Every structure is written in C-alpha cells, then in structure tokens.
Amino acid sequence: MTTAQKPVDTLSKKAREAIIDQLRACHSQEEILNFENWFNHETASGPLYEVICDFLRNRYISRGLAAKWLNVLLSDRENQLKR
C-alpha cells in the first residue's frame, strides 16, 4: 500500500529557489536551526523537513545537500527528545 505524499507544488519557482538559497547560505547548525524555526512559524508551506524532502524527491537539490540539512534537523529533534 502506498500513501500519497503532500506535494509542495504550491511554492513558486522563485520561492523554491529563495528557500534553497537561504539554506545554502547557512554555514552552521545553529543557522540552519534558526532558519527552520523562522520558516515553520512564518510560512504556511509546511514544516521545513517536508519541504526539503519534496525538493529531494523532485531533484531540486542533491542527496548530499538534503542529507546535510536533514541530519541537522533530526539530530536537533533527537536532542530535544532526550531532555
């Protein structure tokens, strides 16, 4: 059984490119987490991890870049759960 994934096709090409550029500009884990916090609170596009997964699925970003960003987000979640 497969489940339908909610596409992030509602993002315009400019918005998609702006998000990718903003994430690429983040050089530290703290910057990525700050951007995630802002993104999740200020946009209606869904959680950042879903947007990154959609970018990966549609080949807008490389596997390595997606892995880097998702690793930071998941590591932060793990640390929050351990507290």
Side-chain angles (χ1 to χ4, degrees), residues 9-69:
D9 292 334
T10 58
L11 292 173
S12 69
K13 183 178 179 181
K14 277 188 166 187
R16 188 173 52 241
E17 289 174 356
I19 293 167
I20 292 169
D21 288 343
Q22 188 67 36
L23 279 165
R24 283 187 173 141
C26 296
H27 297 292
S28 70
Q29 291 182 1
E30 184 178 329
E31 290 174 335
I32 293 170
L33 294 174
N34 286 339
F35 178 72
E36 178 200 24
N37 187 39
W38 174 85
F39 184 86
N40 290 345
H41 288 93
E42 299 296 326
T43 67
S45 299
L48 184 59
Y49 70 87
E50 285 184 3
V51 173
I52 292 171
C53 289
D54 186 65
F55 289 168
L56 179 61
R57 189 171 23 289
N58 291 311
R59 298 185 179 165
Y60 298 128
I61 58 174
S62 70
R63 294 175 296 183
L65 201 50
K68 173 186 167 185
W69 295 336

